[in-house]
Amino acid sequence: YDGAWGENVNGIKKGDKIIVNAEAALKVAETEVKKISDTNIRTVQQNRIKDIKLVLAAMKAVDKAENTLPQKMTYVTSATSAINKIISIEYNAVKEVLLNRINEVKKSILASELLAKAEKAVVKAEKSLKEADIAAAITAVLSLDDSEAKKSLNLRNTVSGKMLEIEKSLTKYL
């Protein structure tokens, strides 16, 4: 892995080009391996081809999980399953890279889900102006990583809290 997986080369993502080239080479290799008369050598080579096919399937699954929008946990699960099918020690480094990439997708999905949950809680608090809803919104926002979205939601929670205080003050005078 050279760190340039997603680079575009002549309009084709480098990772896509690697997979297409590898699949073409595998077809040629399969044809040639079938011609080997020594059964032991042919079996060894066929097993190597199977291992390579597993790596390519895992690469495709990770690409799908990374590039299909919206990103879905089902793609992460499928990719993880494909990666775990790679058992050849020879491909441990590739397996590690793929696992790291799929873990980043998983983190992104979980962060998006937390953000959506926090946004929903803030909207509910803004509409109801109930202490329990505001407290729930504050808790939901606290679970987010620091970001502009978190700052914005915190500000909205502060405004909701102030609005509640104002309503309480007004009801004292009514």
Side-chain angles (χ1 to χ4, degrees), residues 42-112:
R42 185 173 58 238
T43 301
V44 167
Q45 296 304 323
Q46 287 171 330
N47 287 337
R48 290 181 77 191
I49 288 171
K50 285 179 189 175
D51 290 341
I52 293 168
K53 284 182 176 182
L54 290 174
V55 170
L56 289 175
M59 290 169 74
K60 284 180 175 180
V62 170
D63 279 352
K64 182 176 183 177
E66 288 175 330
N67 298 316
T68 302
L69 296 176
Q71 291 180 323
K72 297 181 181 178
M73 204 54 92
T74 54
Y75 298 144
V76 170
T77 303
S78 295
T80 302
S81 175
I83 293 166
N84 288 333
K85 289 179 184 176
I86 301 170
I87 55 174
S88 175
I89 294 170
E90 186 176 345
Y91 297 105
N92 277 351
V94 172
K95 187 175 178 177
E96 185 177 332
V97 168
L98 294 174
L99 284 170
N100 288 338
R101 287 173 54 199
I102 206 62
N103 284 335
E104 289 302 314
V105 174
K106 188 175 183 178
K107 286 180 194 174
S108 174
I109 292 169
L110 293 174
S112 294

Side-chain angles (χ1 to χ4, degrees), residues 124-136:
K124 182 177 179 183
E126 288 171 333
K127 288 182 180 178
S128 73
L129 290 180
K130 293 181 181 175
E131 283 185 45
D133 290 341
I134 294 171

